[in-house]
Amino acid sequence: MRWALVKVCLAVTAMVVVAFAVPLGLVVQEMASDRAFSNAERQAATIGPTLSITTDPMQLRKAVESTQMGAARRMAVHVPAIGDSARVSIGEGRAGERAVAETRRMGRATTARVSGGGSALLQPIALGSGDIAVVEIFVPEREVSNGVATAWLVLAGVGIALIVGSVAVADRLGVRLVRPAERLADAAHQLGEGRLGARVPEAGPKELHSAAVAFNAMADQVVELLANERELAADLSHRLRTPLTVLRLNTASLGDGPAAEQTRAAVEQLEREVDTIIRTAREQRPATGLGGAAGAGAGCDASEVIRDRMDFWSALAEDEGREVRLAGVDRTVRIPVARPELAAALDAMLGNVFRHTPEGTPFAVDVHDAGDAVIVLVSDAGPGISDPAAALRRGNDGGRDGSTGLGLDIVRRVAESTGGDVRLGRSVLGGTEVRVWIGLDGRSAGGPGGGRAGRGRRGNRRNRGRATP
């Protein structure tokens, strides 16, 4: 496109230059010729008064020599024979007798080419006797073309400058048009090769700017769709852990026997398969689009979701003799998190309680509205964690059955989508406490120690994928 634009501009400019410069040069050349012959006519007219008075050769010679052209030996006077007097020619004639006779016969000024270069102006002048004398003025070629070469050079220079300038402008315009198109094509190739981070600067002409905006929106949508697909596969697989936990715990009451052993083996095999699916989806998850779990405009009542999920887990807690305490769920607490996402995060945290604490261990779920954030606490009275960071690292390696490292990712993704974070610590019950900060209206959640959410968000990105104990 760039060179095509340059070629078109070059052709158009060249045609314009030729269309105007050539006629203008011809006009200049014609004007120079007219100027030279007009000057010759004026010089010829200076001898007219003398011819009207006398045709005496001596006086005519003096009159011719007194003129500018006569002194330059460029004037000649041809007087015809009058009566008994012979024909008189004064000065150096160059046109020839035939040209002089033809001018005398026609009675008007004529021009004749001169051998050796140049032209001769033949001007007829009437004498007192009624005869016609002819005054010849020699016009050299240099006078006819005086200034013409300079004019042609100037016109050629102007034409070349116009062509060069137009080509330069066309090249710049071509670059302005081509570079955004090249960037768009390159980004399309990169996206086609699987580099999902390829984007196009939204610059250039209006049409290419619109194309860049549309491409970037499409690329963002592709990344979001792929991320959502992988997250959905991982989250759905992880949510299977909740009923699997119930099945595994219920198999303990089946007693001994081949059927009971087969059931327990099948449940363990199913858990391993689910863990494999979760790990595979987690490894495929791209780095982009992880923080968008909540979704634009999503929201729910945290208290209602917690009460609903506790109705499910309370039955299992009653079977295992676990004491359950709820706090802060008697009032509406709106958070910018979709209901399914919050439910998945709660199931991940409560599943860890049942999976990693002995039967009969009490636990609690508390909700606090801190004004600019909502804090969800899941605490238990189990053995606790002496080193939360080490526990996170152990969870990341996936070396334990029943631990995939995705449970905390689900919780963290929910929190970080609102500007919050997740922390592990020692609970007031003596066991583990999972503290989830959920920011409100996109504001970063704060907490004791100042800047808690911001630091936690950066730190958790480094620890992304580490599992709860």
Side-chain angles (χ1 to χ4, degrees):
M1 182 187 294
R2 176 181 177 183
W3 290 112
L5 183 61
V6 169
K7 290 177 182 178
V8 169
C9 190
L10 176 63
V12 172
T13 307
M15 287 189 293
V16 171
V17 168
V18 170
F20 282 92
V22 172
L24 186 58
L26 295 177
V27 168
V28 170
Q29 184 174 344
E30 186 67 23
M31 290 177 61
S33 177
D34 290 345
R35 182 174 60 252
F37 283 101
S38 296
N39 181 55
E41 288 179 357
R42 287 193 301 271
Q43 293 296 327
T46 59
I47 200 67
T50 302
L51 287 172
S52 63
I53 297 173
T54 181
T55 57
D56 181 66
M58 295 295 297
Q59 294 182 3
L60 287 177
R61 188 176 299 278
K62 290 180 180 180
V64 168
E65 292 177 353
S66 64
T67 63
Q68 178 183 356
M69 290 296 176
R73 302 177 64 84
R74 291 171 51 187
M75 176 184 289
V77 178
H78 304 280
V79 180
I82 301 173
D84 295 334
S85 61
R87 184 179 59 184
V88 177
S89 292
I90 299 172
E92 184 179 352
R94 296 179 176 84
E97 291 295 333
R98 179 178 298 180
V100 172
E102 184 68 17
T103 300
R104 184 177 291 118
R105 184 184 65 80
M106 295 176 61
R108 59 182 178 81
T110 61
T111 59
R113 295 296 299 175
V114 176
S115 60
S119 302
L121 173 69
L122 302 174
Q123 178 70 43
I125 296 177
L127 301 177
S129 62
D131 294 312
I132 301 296
V134 177
V135 178
E136 177 185 341
I137 304 294
F138 174 65
V139 181
E141 191 66 34
R142 64 177 180 276
E143 287 191 7
V144 176
S145 60
N146 184 28
V148 174
T150 302
W152 278 110
L153 289 175
V154 171
L155 290 175
V158 171
I160 293 173
L162 288 175
I163 292 174
V164 172
S166 65
V167 168
V169 172
D171 182 69
R172 291 300 91 196
L173 290 176
V175 168
R176 186 169 178 267
L177 291 173
V178 170
R179 282 184 179 173
E182 290 178 344
R183 288 195 293 262
L184 183 61
D186 182 63
H189 286 302
Q190 293 183 36
L191 189 63
E193 293 170 356
R195 285 175 277 182
L196 302 181
R199 296 296 182 273
V200 183
E202 297 175 358
K206 180 179 179 181
E207 294 77 7
L208 291 176
H209 179 273
S210 300
V213 171
F215 176 86
N216 290 339
M218 178 196 69
D220 292 339
Q221 186 69 17
V222 169
V223 171
E224 183 178 355
L225 290 174
L226 291 176
N228 289 341
E229 180 183 354
R230 293 181 177 121
E231 294 296 340
L232 180 61
D235 290 352
L236 288 178
S237 301
H238 194 277
R239 290 173 190 179
L240 291 176
R241 296 295 300 275
T242 299
L244 282 175
T245 300
V246 177
L247 288 174
R248 184 173 58 83
L249 295 173
N250 286 340
T251 56
S253 62
L254 295 178
D256 297 329
E261 291 300 327
Q262 290 178 1
T263 302
R264 281 189 285 269
V267 171
E268 291 177 359
Q269 177 65 26
L270 184 57
E271 279 192 320
R272 285 192 294 269
E273 294 296 335
V274 170
D275 289 347
T276 301
I277 295 174
I278 294 174
R279 290 193 187 99
T280 303
R282 182 167 171 263
E283 291 171 357
Q284 292 177 346
R285 185 174 57 203
T288 58
L290 293 176
C300 68
D301 180 4
S303 298
E304 179 186 357
V305 176
I306 293 173
R307 289 195 302 267
D308 178 68
R309 297 314 300 156
M310 287 307 299
D311 288 341
F312 171 82
W313 288 100
S314 295
L316 183 59
E318 184 178 353
D319 292 341
E320 295 189 357
R322 296 177 184 267
E323 180 183 349
V324 181
R325 182 178 64 82
L326 288 178
V329 296
D330 54 346
R331 62 184 181 278
T332 300
V333 180
R334 298 293 303 179
I335 60 174
V337 177
R339 181 186 182 92
E341 304 302 330
L342 180 60
L346 287 170
D347 287 341
M349 291 185 288
L350 294 174
N352 282 335
V353 173
F354 281 85
R355 187 176 303 111
H356 301 296
T357 60
E359 293 186 9
T361 302
F363 65 93
V365 179
D366 301 320
V367 180
H368 301 282
D369 189 349
D372 63 342
V374 171
I375 305 169
V376 179
L377 299 175
V378 177
S379 310
D380 63 62
I385 304 173
S386 59
D387 189 350
L392 290 174
R393 287 194 294 272
R394 285 197 303 271
N396 188 47
D397 61 18
R400 297 178 300 166
D401 289 340
S403 177
T404 63
L406 190 62
L408 184 59
D409 261 358
I410 295 176
V411 180
R412 181 188 293 114
R413 192 166 59 250
V414 169
E416 288 186 352
S417 68
T418 65
D421 70 350
V422 179
R423 291 295 179 91
L424 294 179
R426 177 71 65 174
S427 73
V428 295
L429 299 178
T432 303
E433 175 187 87
V434 181
R435 180 182 296 261
V436 184
W437 291 77
I438 300 175
L440 301 179
D441 299 329
R443 296 171 291 178
S444 297
R452 183 183 188 95
R455 293 196 306 272
R457 185 166 60 253
R458 290 189 296 270
N460 286 335
R461 284 197 181 98
R462 290 191 297 269
N463 296 329
R464 187 176 296 279
R466 297 174 184 172
T468 58

